Amino acid sequence: MHCFWWDKSVELELGAEGKYHDVKSTREAVECLLQRWPRRDGPALAAAKRVCLQALEGKVKTERARRAFIKAAEEAHISIRSH
């Protein structure tokens, strides 16, 4: 199945301090949002889940999913090394 690769990955500090996780695709973003996210609620998180799933269905562009993912990380106060 297609992963819907992003033009530029997003590096997030998840888990241990100083440990960055490189998210390179919409599929990786969905897995991260559902399994590794430190918060379980928030409007940006809900939007990111919805937009990423829509991107996997081909309903929106992957760049929109990437932007929504970054907003969710900002909402959760996750350190972003590159975006």
Side-chain angles (χ1 to χ4, degrees):
M1 188 168 217
H2 196 280
C3 285
F4 300 92
W5 299 105
W6 293 345
D7 290 336
K8 186 175 180 186
S9 65
V10 178
E11 292 180 84
L12 304 175
E13 187 176 36
L14 289 172
E17 189 174 333
K19 286 279 208 173
Y20 282 81
H21 182 72
D22 197 20
V23 179
K24 302 177 200 91
S25 71
T26 303
R27 180 156 317 282
E28 288 179 7
V30 169
E31 290 172 5
C32 191
L33 290 167
L34 296 177
Q35 297 174 3
R36 304 188 69 196
W37 216 247
R39 291 184 59 180
R40 295 290 172 219
D41 62 353
L45 174 59
K49 288 178 183 178
R50 183 180 64 254
V51 172
C52 285
L53 290 172
Q54 288 173 340
L56 290 178
E57 294 171 353
K59 295 178 180 176
V60 300
K61 295 187 179 205
T62 55
E63 183 54 34
R64 184 170 169 201
R66 185 179 175 278
R67 286 193 311 268
F69 181 72
I70 290 169
K71 285 183 182 180
E74 291 169 346
E75 174 185 74
H77 304 288
I78 297 172
S79 178
I80 304 170
R81 187 160 53 190
S82 67
H83 64 286

